Amino acid sequence: MEKEITVAQFAEELVTRIDRAKTIDCCKDEIKRLAHLAAQKMGQEKILVHWKDSE
């Protein structure tokens, strides 16, 4: 089922899933959409990350 929700609602659900150690695999496409939207709307904003190099 597809439904349209606000970015705030999606962000809240995503954070809740992460905090509860639930999988976020279900949201893969939505996370990609959010990343594209964030790049368009907030591309020059800064964020603190704990970067891990892939080995």
Side-chain angles (χ1 to χ4, degrees):
M1 172 180 82
E2 284 189 336
K3 72 178 190 177
E4 194 170 64
I5 63 173
T6 66
V7 170
Q9 289 170 313
F10 178 68
E12 183 177 333
E13 175 64 22
L14 190 57
V15 169
T16 299
R17 291 186 73 81
I18 292 168
D19 286 345
R20 292 182 180 164
K22 289 186 173 181
T23 180
I24 58 172
D25 292 343
C26 62
C27 309
K28 184 177 177 179
D29 290 335
E30 291 81 1
I31 293 169
K32 288 165 101 176
R33 285 188 203 125
L34 180 61
H36 290 293
L37 182 62
Q40 286 178 335
K41 303 280 185 177
M42 310 181 320
Q44 299 305 311
E45 296 291 326
K46 303 288 183 183
I47 185 171
L48 181 62
V49 297
H50 296 280
W51 203 264
K52 295 181 181 181
D53 290 329
S54 58
E55 295 177 22

